[in-house]
Amino acid sequence: MPNTIEEEHAAHVAAALFGLRGDVRRLDGEVDLNFLVTSADERVVLKLHRPGTDLAELELQDQVLLRLACAGLRVATPVPVPTAAGELTTLVPWTDGSRPARALTWIEGTPWPVGTADPTLLHDLGARIGELDRALAGYHHPAEGREALPWRITAAAQVAPYAEEVDEELRDLVRAVFREHATSIAPALADLPEQVVHHDLNEHNIVLGADGSVAGFIDFGDVARVPRIAELAVAAAYAVQGVDHPEQALVDLAFGYHQANPLAAAELAVLLDLVRLRLATSIAMSAHQFARSPGNAYLLISQEGVREALVRLSATDPVLLHCRLRDALGFEANPLAREVRQHLESGRVRPVPLVAPVDRLAGAFDRPYGDAVPGTDEVRVDRGLAVIPGAEVRAPLDGEVTSVTDDGVVLRHRADTGPELGIALSGLEVDGLCAGDRVRAGDLLGRASTTEGVGYPAAQVRVQLCALPGVGGEELVSAVPEAELDLWRSVFPDPNLLLGDPQPVRRRPVRTDIDLLRRRRTNFSTALGLSYADPAHVVRGEGAHLVDRDGRRWLDLVNNVAHVGHAHPRVVAAAHAQAQVLNTNTRYLHASVVEYARRLVELFPDPLHVCFLVNSGSEANDLALRLARAHTGQRDVLVLDHAYHGNLTSQIDLSPYKFNRAGGLGQPHGTWVCELPDVYRGRLHELPVTEQVAGYAVSVAEQLDGIRAAGRAPAAFFVESLQSCGGQIVLPEGYLASTFALAGEAGAVTVADEIQVGLGRVGSHLWGFELGGVVPDIVTLGKPLGNGHPLAAVVTTPEIARSFANGMEWFNTFGGNPVSAEVGLAVLDVLRDERLQANASDRGRQLKEGLARASAGHPLIGDVRGEGLFLGIELSHEGRAPATAHAGLLKEAIKARGAMVSTDGPDENVIKIKPPMVLSEEDCAWFVDVFEDALGEVEKRVG
Ligand code: PMP
């Protein structure tokens, strides 16, 4: 097609001013002239703005785009292309006057698919918008106010008069939206966070990439400083169009945004109103334009989706939708519920019994709150009280009668200062009350039905509380979908708040895996991850097996915490028996904790016979650090590269595995990192082992020299007896002996971290440090001690313990409580009685040999190593380069076959095996086959 004169003129501008040569085509545009310039190697949009366009506004757009271009966003945004003279905007003469010209990079893709309800895509869009806004937070520009922009969400008052030009069908609705906004929402906007936002993320301005995900945002012509929530509201106004359930689309979009850029509760409270305002603005503006150019039918056609969305969103209950939004984002659904519960629980009011205790009956007719409705997926959000027919029913609190029905009454209780509470009662014959009557607590309301329960020994009075004025006010809302129980129990709280009956455990919502994942993303920090691409939903453990909610069994080869087997009956019984009698702290004389201390320290060589009981491995290492510092009077600590010693601040500082990896702040002052003696992949791996040991010991000597050169002395040398997170590393023979000697000579306290490997796991010895032929000054213990119960310990010498007793008392509230002590004793008993250390030795050998055999001829398996039931399989490419992706695939392929392993190591290329110690011979034989099969699949898939 030949170019138009306009296109030829534009081509001339592009070439002369911007140095852009290529095919030029006119694009759509509301007020500006836009041309796509396509050359051999790039595509650029040439924009010729309306004559008289405020140049400051164009500069605002360019500055925003330049900022976004440097923000590292996952989506693309247009980048301004300067003229040959280095200007971002330049004036060009045009037929209608002088037009400001700009050039922007073109973003390839397709527009947002209107009508999509795909939750993943909506989350994705929400998250990308959230990231965009984060990148613009804190940005300022003199033109950011955009006072003349009628589309500005804060310009509603300017647009409201156009509602009168809207056709009859929607005029009242549009008027109402502007009116409600002006009276109840607009004043609240001033208190919300404000910033510069894109402000027009309609379907044309969202670009999807070839893989169907959100890939770009374009057209920043409406960029303005407004309440931040307007960004999401505008995008939602378009994203909900043509969708069957616009409310759900809004929730999905907001969920995605909140993940990337957390919203405040006050912003959520205005979201629906602002979505409706944007839709009403669009309708009013187009009516106004149509009135001025009636020939332009396009103005009306493009309005269909907008009109329909406004009608549908206006038909939804705004209060409930607000609750749904809150619930989805992790806030409690009903913002008033907490206050209502506190009103009743704190004793501020003292409810009178609804029915006298003598008139209450037990049995099946007494129905709990949350009971499932048979044959449906619904649960009841009221409580059914079984009572003697004809029993008197009294007002539990002062209140006003809001309605009376055939078989019940609804009261509204409102204390002077307290929240409002609806109390709906049914199943009674009401005694002469009318709406508007005031009752006092204890007044007779009626009598339990004498007819309804004919044939039954009991009548049932149903009670429902409502903590959200305006919902369920007139009568009982008896059942709700179980999947929405979080929402509804916040609206209709448990009536036991009023009744105070002892009740069995409340029903909890039965959650789908998707719901669990969502809740984890809102009510937990996403810093806490999940294992496996398809996370396992396990509900039971038995010995070395885990069982998921569908009854599928897995051999658990990861969990060294369930040391003597998941749910070992002797351990469970010990916890149960002690919990039934007493659980308190260690400041009393109690036989269990002393017995445990004795039994624990007799497992150690002399002179390690003083113990401290704590709750976690991290706490144990933190205490070990304090002991070492108290004993030496020094602060500096040596650790091995890739070590992990725990999640406390003090331990992150000792863990290169954390401080040197994603999110870490680097090596802290006072921490000295010694080279890891990794005989498979370490720097010296080509040397004979004895030379490697000598070489790696030099690294310890060098770090000690460094401390000395700084004018200080070391407090401690922390070593995992076998390194776990660092890649299942067995320290070579002679390493611990030589390095502990060096550290000891320099005055350091040696600390063996046995949190992963202790208590018989290595098979040949009870403790990992014994493999190295050393006796550390301090040993820290954790994971296996309590078989899943939080029990950890520090064992040290009397001399070091003496240095620590310096006047400052040491106390740990939970550490060593009687229940923990009994659990710890049961673990030691089972370990002994079931010969589990010997089992670790035998099964470890069987597994290691079997896995080595299965790996022969598979170059991907670089190394099979370990001691007892602490094994590692390292996956490598040529030159021992880490095969990280392959290790991940192998882990998943093993899981698909019914066994769980994990990956670890600095490069995540080591398969970790550290199962409960009760693994059987058959389990091991079966797993070797599984491993071989899974390895075959991985090799076939990726070569
Ligand atoms: N030390 C080592 C070697 C560990 O592997 C861990 C936990 N993975 C810890 C300490 C910290 O133990 P916890 O998670 O019980 O605090």
Side-chain angles (χ1 to χ4, degrees):
M1 217 171 46
N3 283 357
T4 61
I5 292 179
E6 212 175 30
E7 285 168 341
E8 272 171 23
H9 197 159
H12 175 73
V13 170
L17 296 174
F18 293 92
L20 299 166
R21 283 181 186 79
D23 179 48
V24 174
R25 298 280 154 194
R26 171 95 196 258
L27 299 169
D28 284 345
E30 206 183 334
V31 282
D32 302 330
L33 295 175
N34 295 330
F35 301 90
L36 177 61
V37 185
T38 307
S39 69
D41 53 353
E42 63 180 344
R43 299 182 99 187
V44 170
V45 179
L46 175 68
K47 293 181 85 70
L48 300 177
H49 296 274
R50 179 171 40 79
T53 301
D54 182 351
L55 294 182
E57 283 175 11
L58 297 181
E59 193 202 53
L60 162 68
Q61 284 185 50
D62 284 333
Q63 294 304 320
V64 162
L65 291 173
L66 289 173
R67 183 180 172 107
L68 292 174
C70 306
L73 293 180
R74 274 185 266 188
V75 294
T77 46
V79 183
V81 178
T83 63
E87 292 171 318
L88 295 181
T89 303
T90 186
L91 292 173
V92 298
W94 205 256
T95 47
D96 53 359
S98 174
R99 283 186 172 250
R102 290 159 71 229
L104 300 170
T105 55
W106 167 259
I107 295 185
E108 208 62 61
T110 52
W112 175 260
V114 177
T116 185
D118 175 0
T120 310
L121 193 55
L122 287 160
H123 290 173
D124 195 29
L125 175 61
R128 297 299 88 79
I129 298 173
E131 287 157 6
L132 178 80
D133 288 355
R134 269 184 95 96
L136 291 176
Y139 172 75
H140 283 281
H141 186 278
E144 67 190 12
R146 301 296 303 273
E147 303 301 333
L149 184 70
W151 289 101
R152 211 165 24 96
I153 208 104
T154 38
Q158 273 166 250
V159 184
Y162 302 161
E164 304 311 317
E165 296 171 60
V166 172
D167 57 286
E168 214 169 309
E169 196 187 334
L170 287 192
R171 190 180 308 137
D172 284 347
L173 179 57
V174 171
R175 269 190 197 139
V177 171
F178 280 110
R179 196 173 47 240
E180 280 165 32
H181 174 79
T183 50
S184 54
I185 304 295
L189 294 184
D191 295 330
L192 300 181
E194 266 189 14
Q195 67 164 74
V196 169
V197 298
H198 180 291
H199 207 14
D200 191 20
L201 288 171
N202 66 52
E203 68 270 27
H204 304 292
N205 294 341
I206 299 164
V207 179
L208 299 196
D211 66 353
S213 66
V214 179
F217 294 131
I218 57 173
D219 191 354
F220 282 67
D222 283 358
V223 70
R225 180 180 180 82
V226 286
R228 170 182 69 162
I229 189 66
E231 182 86 307
L232 183 60
V234 172
Y238 298 93
V240 301
Q241 289 179 26
V243 175
D244 282 346
H245 299 286
E247 309 90 339
Q248 188 56 44
L250 178 61
V251 168
D252 289 335
L253 196 64
F255 177 82
Y257 187 100
H258 191 63
Q259 298 295 301
N261 197 10
L263 291 164
E267 293 178 286
L268 270 191
V270 301
L271 179 58
L272 176 64
D273 174 86
L274 294 187
V275 175
R276 294 174 66 219
L277 179 67
R278 174 65 177 213
L279 293 165
T281 300
S282 173
I283 295 166
M285 292 277 279
S286 105
H288 181 64
Q289 284 163 10
F290 186 67
R292 290 193 299 174
S293 55
N296 191 348
Y298 175 79
L299 285 172
L300 295 187
I301 294 165
S302 64
Q303 284 283 297
E304 264 166 37
V306 181
R307 293 167 65 93
E308 192 210 28
L310 180 63
V311 170
R312 293 185 52 193
L313 279 184
S314 301
T316 63
D317 180 333
V319 176
L320 266 185
L321 180 51
H322 177 217
C323 289
R324 278 185 200 284
L325 276 165
R326 286 179 53 96
D327 180 52
L329 270 55
F331 297 93
E332 182 175 6
N334 171 11
L336 307 172
R338 206 180 80 88
E339 187 63 20
V340 168
R341 288 193 301 266
Q342 269 302 292
H343 185 63
L344 295 170
E345 282 187 68
S346 65
R348 257 175 263 155
V349 285
R350 310 280 165 155
V352 169
L354 203 70
V355 177
V358 294
D359 289 338
R360 296 274 301 273
L361 297 167
F365 220 49
D366 198 86
R367 187 177 42 69
Y369 172 81
D371 214 18
V373 181
T376 71
D377 58 2
E378 294 193 324
V379 291
R380 313 206 42 148
V381 281
D382 61 353
R383 162 106 159 87
L385 292 182
V387 301
I388 291 172
E392 291 178 341
V393 179
R394 300 189 171 274
L397 296 167
D398 296 349
E400 184 189 329
V401 175
T402 53
S403 73
V404 179
T405 61
D406 279 357
D407 81 333
V409 57
V410 180
L411 303 180
R412 186 171 55 218
H413 162 76
R414 176 167 216 163
D416 290 345
T417 53
E420 192 172 313
L421 171 66
I423 305 169
L425 301 167
S426 70
L428 63 156
E429 283 147 20
V430 179
D431 200 25
L433 288 172
C434 303
D437 287 354
R438 297 205 63 85
V439 292
R440 299 200 61 84
D443 285 356
L444 185 67
L445 297 175
R447 289 167 192 283
S449 171
T450 46
T451 52
E452 202 185 279
V454 176
Y456 290 100
Q460 196 185 58
V461 172
R462 293 182 296 282
V463 192
Q464 180 168 70
L465 300 188
C466 180
L468 191 62
V471 175
E474 296 306 307
E475 54 188 280
L476 279 166
V477 174
S478 52
V480 299
E482 174 148 32
E484 297 181 353
L485 192 52
D486 283 337
L487 166 73
W488 292 109
R489 64 186 171 179
S490 177
V491 175
F492 301 117
D494 189 340
N496 221 34
L497 285 164
L498 210 58
L499 302 167
D501 286 349
Q503 274 195 34
V505 176
R506 302 281 194 292
R507 185 184 186 84
R508 298 187 192 141
V510 176
R511 300 184 189 278
T512 60
D513 286 359
I514 290 177
D515 186 34
L516 291 173
L517 284 166
R518 274 196 178 218
R519 291 280 161 209
R520 284 180 68 103
R521 285 171 68 178
T522 52
N523 294 134
F524 286 167
S525 161
T526 45
L528 173 61
L530 277 165
S531 303
Y532 309 114
D534 178 17
H537 182 155
V538 291
V539 293
R540 216 169 61 241
E542 293 164 357
H545 287 88
L546 289 170
V547 184
D548 81 0
R549 67 150 88 179
D550 301 322
R552 173 140 199 235
R553 288 171 75 82
W554 273 283
L555 182 64
D556 178 1
L557 295 170
V558 179
N559 200 326
N560 58 344
V561 174
H563 198 59
V564 299
H566 287 283
H568 195 291
R570 284 179 71 182
V571 179
V572 175
H576 184 226
Q578 185 58 43
Q580 283 187 307
V581 186
L582 174 72
N583 199 21
T584 183
N585 67 53
T586 43
R587 277 208 175 105
Y588 302 91
L589 285 180
H590 196 280
S592 304
V593 66
V594 173
E595 176 67 9
Y596 185 58
R598 271 303 322 147
R599 291 280 304 279
L600 189 61
V601 299
E602 74 186 20
L603 305 176
F604 287 87
D606 291 343
L608 295 166
H609 71 240
V610 180
C611 75
F612 296 79
L613 299 176
V614 295
N615 311 287
S616 70
S618 303
E619 265 196 352
N621 280 334
D622 182 74
L623 180 58
L625 180 62
R626 289 185 62 197
L627 291 173
R629 285 180 172 165
H631 188 65
T632 59
Q634 304 296 334
R635 297 194 62 78
D636 293 55
V637 179
L638 289 88
V639 296
L640 294 193
D641 203 1
H642 308 305
Y644 176 65
H645 291 296
N647 61 51
L648 299 183
T649 307
S650 67
Q651 298 310 306
I652 295 298
D653 280 357
L654 300 188
S655 302
Y657 183 76
K658 292 289 179 191
F659 65 62
N660 276 339
R661 297 174 86 213
L665 299 177
Q667 186 173 337
H669 180 74
T671 297
W672 301 78
V673 179
C674 309
E675 223 175 333
L676 176 69
D678 176 350
V679 296
Y680 174 71
R681 201 141 63 84
R683 182 175 55 89
L684 307 175
H685 73 258
E686 283 169 352
L687 300 179
V689 171
T690 47
E691 285 176 41
Q692 290 190 47
V693 168
Y696 291 123
V698 167
S699 168
V700 175
E702 283 170 358
Q703 299 305 312
L704 288 168
D705 286 346
I707 298 175
R708 223 171 280 129
R712 302 194 296 271
F717 179 31
F718 270 70
V719 180
E720 294 169 71
S721 302
L722 289 86
Q723 206 182 46
S724 183
C725 296
Q728 304 292 91
I729 306 289
V730 183
L731 304 178
E733 201 181 325
Y735 177 79
L736 274 184
S738 59
T739 55
F740 272 25
L742 285 171
E745 278 159 27
V749 163
T750 52
V751 181
D753 178 337
E754 292 271 342
I755 288 158
Q756 290 267 4
V757 299
L759 211 58
R761 174 159 299 280
V762 298
S764 58
H765 297 81
L766 192 55
W767 306 112
F769 63 77
E770 294 178 283
L771 291 169
V774 294
V775 178
D777 300 311
I778 299 178
V779 182
T780 56
L781 310 171
K783 296 181 190 288
L785 293 191
N787 211 49
H789 183 91
L791 174 60
V794 178
V795 180
T796 188
T797 66
E799 213 188 328
I800 291 176
R802 175 74 199 78
S803 303
F804 187 58
N806 59 3
M808 180 195 287
E809 195 204 16
W810 178 80
F811 175 64
N812 187 307
T813 302
F814 301 118
N817 67 69
V819 171
S820 298
E822 286 298 334
V823 165
L825 284 165
V827 170
L828 296 182
D829 288 346
V830 173
L831 190 73
R832 175 197 59 210
D833 297 346
E834 297 187 10
R835 310 270 185 279
L836 293 182
Q837 187 182 335
N839 194 54
S841 191
D842 297 344
R843 299 288 73 82
R845 193 176 318 112
Q846 180 192 353
L847 267 182
K848 198 161 126 182
E849 286 171 7
L851 293 170
R853 239 189 346 266
S855 305
H858 296 274
L860 192 54
I861 305 300
D863 194 24
V864 177
R865 58 178 173 253
E867 290 287 335
L869 285 175
F870 187 78
L871 301 172
I873 306 164
E874 180 147 1
L875 276 69
S876 303
H877 298 302
E878 242 187 271
R880 302 195 175 184
T884 306
H886 292 68
L889 290 173
L890 184 55
K891 171 179 77 173
E892 297 290 349
I894 288 172
K895 174 165 173 274
R897 286 162 174 76
M900 290 195 196
V901 294
S902 60
T903 50
D904 221 326
D907 297 297
E908 291 283 338
N909 67 324
V910 180
I911 301 276
K912 267 171 107 165
I913 296 180
K914 49 187 182 79
M917 307 252 289
V918 293
L919 215 60
S920 70
E921 194 173 345
E922 297 75 55
D923 292 335
C924 295
W926 174 82
F927 177 67
V928 170
D929 290 345
V930 159
F931 174 79
E932 203 168 3
D933 193 42
L935 180 61
E937 183 199 302
V938 170
E939 286 173 336
K940 214 179 300 151
R941 273 177 57 191
V942 288

